[in-house]
Structure formats: C-alpha cells, structure tokens
Amino acid sequence: MKKLLASLVTAATVLTLTACGSNNESTGDTGGSSDKVTVWAWDETFNIKAVNEAKKVYENKDVDVEVVTMSQDDIVQKLNTSLASGNTDGLPNIVLIEDYRIQGYLSSYPDAFSDLTDIVNEDDFSSYKFAVNKIDDVIYGVPFDSGVAGLFYRTDYLADAGYEAADLQDITWDDFIQIAKDVKEKTGHAMMSLDPSDLGLARIIMQSAGEWYTGEDGTTVTIKDNESFKAGLNVLATLLNEGLVEQVSDWDGGVNAVQSGNVAAAPTGAWYSSTIQGAEDQSGKWAIAPIPALAGGNSVNASSIGGAGWYVIKGVAGEENAKDFLANTFASNKELMGTLATEIGLVSTMNAAEETKEYTSGLDFYGGQKVFQDFSQWSQEIPAVNYGNHTYAIESVLTESLQRVINGEDIDKVLEDAQTQVEAQIAN
C-alpha cells in the first residue's frame, strides 16, 4: 500500500498505496529491557513521525520508546519468519500492521499478539476497524489511520460540465459514469486515471456494500456470487471501454494525471490528499464529496481503502510498558490526533478527534471545506468487513479477470472461473 495520508494540511512527499516506505534499513537495537519499548513501522514522514509525536505526550519518562524504521515488506518478512518459528527474539514490542494483512497473522499465530481489550474502548473508534483487529471478543490492535474513501474532484472542471457541489453528494456509480461522460464531452478531460491492473476501485465498491472476496469467516471464497464485486468490475470496464479515464501503468502515472491537471477527479482514500496538494497551483480548485454507492441494495456512500493498526508482540520484554504507551497515546489521546492532523495529515479513526480544532477548521486548498471533519464522519459509516487472510493472493488472480471483462467476455463465466482459480490458490 502506498503512503498513508502524508498531509491534508501541507503538500507532502508522494505516498505509497496503503502505506509502504522505501527505507529497507533497520536502525536501533530490537532487544528490549523492561524499561524499553521498541516500535517497528515504515514511512519516516507519516508513521514514524506519528510515533515520535506520541513520545512527546507520553508522560512516563522512565520508559524509553525507540522507533525502528524499515520497509513494510521487511516487516512482513521478519514477522513471517519469526512467528512461523515461534521465536520472538529480535522482534519489537509494538509493530504497525496493515489492515489487509492482520487477520492472516491473528488466525495463523493466535498466541503471538497481546490482548489489548483492556486498553481499547471499541466505542471510541470507527466500528469497521474491529472487523480486522479482533478475534471473537478479543481486541488485538489499536486502530490508527483511516483508509476512508472520498471523491476528490476539480470544482472548476465540474462547473464547466454543469455540475456544482450539491450534485456530487450521495451519488451512485451510475451517476458518476454519467458525470464522467459530461466532463469528457464538455471539457475534454478524463474523469480520473486508472491502472487496469489495480483493483482498488473494486475494493472500494465491495466494502461500500459490506462484502469482500471472502465471506464473513474470512476464508470462504465468495467471488462467483459476489454482486458488488461484479458491479465493481463492470464500473471499471465501462470507464475504460468508453474512454472516460486516462490509462496509466503505475503509481507515478496516476500522480502525474492529477498534478498536471489532466483529470477531473480521484475516487480514493483520504491518504491521497498529499498527492492532490502536491500541485500547489491548484489550491482552491478541489473539493471532496462522499464516495459513490451502488444503486439499490445495501451499498452506502462510505468505504475504505487502506489503513493500519498498532499491535503488541506477546512475550517480548517490556510488553506491559508497550501497552501503557499505546493506552496513553494512540488509544485515547484526542489532542495527539489533532496534532497528527496538522503534522502529517492523519485522518484518525478515533471518534473524539472530531472535537479538536484541527478537525473543525476549514482548509484553504479545498475552498474552506472542513475536510478532516467530513472524513471522520464518513469513517464512522464504513461497513465492517473481514478482509480475511488472502486479499493480495486473491488479487493476483483477479487482475486477469478484469482484463477478460474489459475484453467483453461474459462476466458470470469470468467470475466462475475466478472462483475456481482463487480456491486453488488459497488451498496451495
């Protein structure tokens, strides 16, 4: 995942999708005495900076909190190796884990993570987070950033096509496609950029309907009869086949499409704001609306793409101090969430963050819109979905399925084939 929301307030460096840093070198000693807490995370400008800000407000000065920077890929590899061997030597006290990955760890290594139920009040956070950081009634993670989705759009381009802010509120994907047609016809601009190998938009559409590639148990493959995924593939295919998007082949292509002024919108996660604001000459020309929903059914104008949480490794020296650090910072401190909104552009999943001045203030770049407040409210409406253990393995199969739909093959047959392929992939 690319860099999780680097800044809603100031322009920041280019992110990595659902949060992946580029620094592959670890720093610091991962051993832990009882008065030392070690944290593993990626991205110096976002997650690492968040921990350093938390250290400033943590009152127990007898505890030394050390932050170790490494790439998300390295963290995943080291966790996999150590947890599979049952040896926690060299592991940190606290580790940041992406929402799409955590259920795999919790189900595969149920005794590896500390029970955080006593420091996390479920009512204090967006409820959808607890579909991924719990097993039964036990909470294992402190929710961190929100992957809440929004429809970023150019107000000037939409106005030229005959649309105003009210016309973008609580729309459907059918409405979005019609708006895209009007924008293309009247302004010449593509509505958005789209990488045909990226299923992010389909994920957004699925979660808005409370569905995923797997069922509520996180393991039963549900692709064949998944109406929201089917709708998502149809939306992607329509946008591509009708020439309503600027096709790109990688992340940088999408960034260029936005910052060059080529496209009129970007339906994606809140973390994308740093990329939007990277084009300083476009200040005042952007606004953010709720993400579109599917017409009919249970789909809502709220969804997520990305996000992560803080987890404590059980049995590593300093475990109780690690829990205390999280309890007094990321699990409860709304003022810290306000500071992080200003410093790194964090959209927190802590409900009380809405009460801070940072959330109730408008942002000039978005024409005075109270962006943090809007994202915080939408975050509370996101349907809870168990991402299961295999999101990325499943998508490695489904990229081909999207291409087949784009090429005009019968979508029901495509999904039947995908069901069989994914079941075989997971079985192996």
Side-chain angles (χ1 to χ4, degrees):
M1 175 167 92
K2 300 264 180 183
K3 188 190 290 182
L4 298 170
L5 183 57
S7 177
L8 277 166
V9 177
T10 58
T13 55
V14 174
L15 38 150
T16 61
L17 180 274
T18 33
C20 209
S22 60
N23 183 357
N24 289 324
E25 295 185 1
S26 303
T27 57
D29 175 17
T30 56
S33 60
S34 59
D35 61 351
K36 180 178 180 180
V37 170
T38 305
V39 184
W40 282 5
W42 61 90
D43 189 349
E44 289 280 359
T45 64
F46 191 75
N47 304 313
I48 301 300
K49 191 169 183 179
V51 180
N52 285 326
E53 290 295 329
K55 288 169 60 176
K56 295 177 184 179
V57 302
Y58 183 49
E59 295 181 353
N60 189 348
K61 303 306 178 185
D62 293 330
V63 175
D64 176 23
V65 179
E66 181 180 27
V67 193
V68 177
T69 305
M70 64 179 71
S71 73
Q72 185 181 185
D73 287 345
D74 279 356
I75 290 176
V76 169
Q77 181 180 14
K78 291 176 186 294
L79 283 178
N80 289 345
T81 301
S82 295
L83 296 182
S85 69
N87 184 356
T88 60
D89 290 347
L91 288 183
N93 299 103
I94 299 170
V95 60
L96 186 69
I97 301 177
E98 186 184 25
D99 288 350
Y100 292 138
R101 298 185 188 275
I102 186 57
Q103 277 289 309
Y105 286 117
L106 295 181
S107 60
S108 299
Y109 311 107
D111 296 323
F113 297 91
S114 184
D115 180 348
L116 304 185
T117 309
D118 59 339
I119 70 167
V120 178
N121 184 342
E122 192 166 345
D123 293 336
D124 289 346
F125 295 89
S126 300
S127 60
Y128 81 94
K129 278 285 190 173
F130 296 94
V132 297
N133 72 4
K134 289 176 64 177
I135 295 290
D136 297 324
D137 293 327
V138 179
I139 298 172
Y140 290 97
V142 177
F144 181 45
D145 60 323
S146 174
V148 57
L151 175 56
F152 296 82
Y153 67 94
R154 285 285 296 261
T155 55
D156 51 347
Y157 293 173
L158 270 289
D160 289 344
Y163 293 94
E164 56 185 31
D167 300 319
L168 277 294
Q169 298 300 308
D170 299 330
I171 64 174
T172 67
W173 285 105
D174 292 336
D175 296 328
F176 179 84
I177 290 170
Q178 183 58 55
I179 293 170
K181 291 177 180 179
D182 292 338
V183 167
K184 186 65 178 291
E185 177 184 352
K186 296 177 181 179
T187 73
H189 290 286
M191 187 64 172
M192 57 181 284
S193 68
L194 187 60
D195 180 349
S197 67
D198 186 349
L199 291 170
L201 193 61
R203 271 188 248 149
I204 289 173
I205 292 172
M206 272 196 300
Q207 184 153 3
S208 77
E211 293 185 304
W212 204 245
Y213 303 122
T214 50
E216 292 183 6
D217 61 2
T219 57
T220 304
V221 181
T222 58
I223 292 170
K224 181 177 64 174
D225 300 315
N226 189 325
E227 291 300 318
S228 61
F229 179 56
K230 180 178 178 179
L233 290 185
N234 276 325
V235 168
L236 288 166
T238 299
L239 291 169
L240 285 160
N241 287 333
E242 297 197 16
L244 303 176
V245 298
E246 178 176 317
Q247 287 196 48
V248 298
S249 59
D250 55 22
W251 175 260
D252 290 340
V255 171
N256 181 69
V258 166
Q259 295 185 349
S260 67
N262 288 355
V263 299
T268 188
W271 36 262
Y272 200 68
S273 185
S274 64
T275 295
I276 301 290
Q277 291 188 89
E280 297 180 19
D281 60 322
Q282 296 175 19
S283 180
K285 297 179 180 180
W286 285 89
I288 311 171
I291 200 72
L294 293 172
N298 298 320
S299 180
V300 297
N301 292 99
S303 190
S304 177
I305 179 167
W310 303 102
Y311 297 83
V312 175
I313 306 295
K314 185 186 293 185
V316 176
E319 180 177 349
E320 291 306 311
N321 282 333
K323 291 175 65 174
D324 185 69
F325 173 70
L326 290 177
N328 288 283
T329 55
F330 295 111
S332 64
N333 193 319
K334 70 178 182 181
E335 288 77 18
L336 173 62
M337 298 304 108
T339 298
L340 294 179
T342 299
E343 293 297 322
I344 65 172
L346 175 76
V347 174
S348 173
T349 51
M350 183 185 294
N351 298 332
E354 275 192 56
E355 302 167 4
T356 65
K357 67 180 184 300
E358 291 84 358
Y359 276 65
T360 56
S361 301
L363 298 184
D364 291 340
F365 191 93
Y366 295 102
Q369 181 177 352
K370 296 178 180 179
V371 169
F372 285 108
Q373 192 172 72
D374 286 342
F375 273 132
S376 183
Q377 291 173 357
W378 300 338
S379 182
Q380 296 173 40
E381 299 167 10
I382 298 171
V385 168
N386 183 351
Y387 299 133
N389 305 351
H390 307 289
T391 291
Y392 292 121
I394 291 171
E395 288 193 345
S396 70
V397 173
L398 294 179
T399 299
E400 179 187 355
S401 301
L402 172 58
Q403 192 58 55
R404 290 174 61 188
V405 174
I406 293 169
N407 292 339
E409 292 190 42
D410 179 74
I411 192 167
D412 291 322
K413 176 64 166 63
V414 171
L415 293 183
E416 284 183 17
D417 291 346
Q419 175 89 14
T420 301
Q421 289 177 276
V422 168
E423 286 175 341
Q425 174 90 351
I426 291 177
N428 295 329

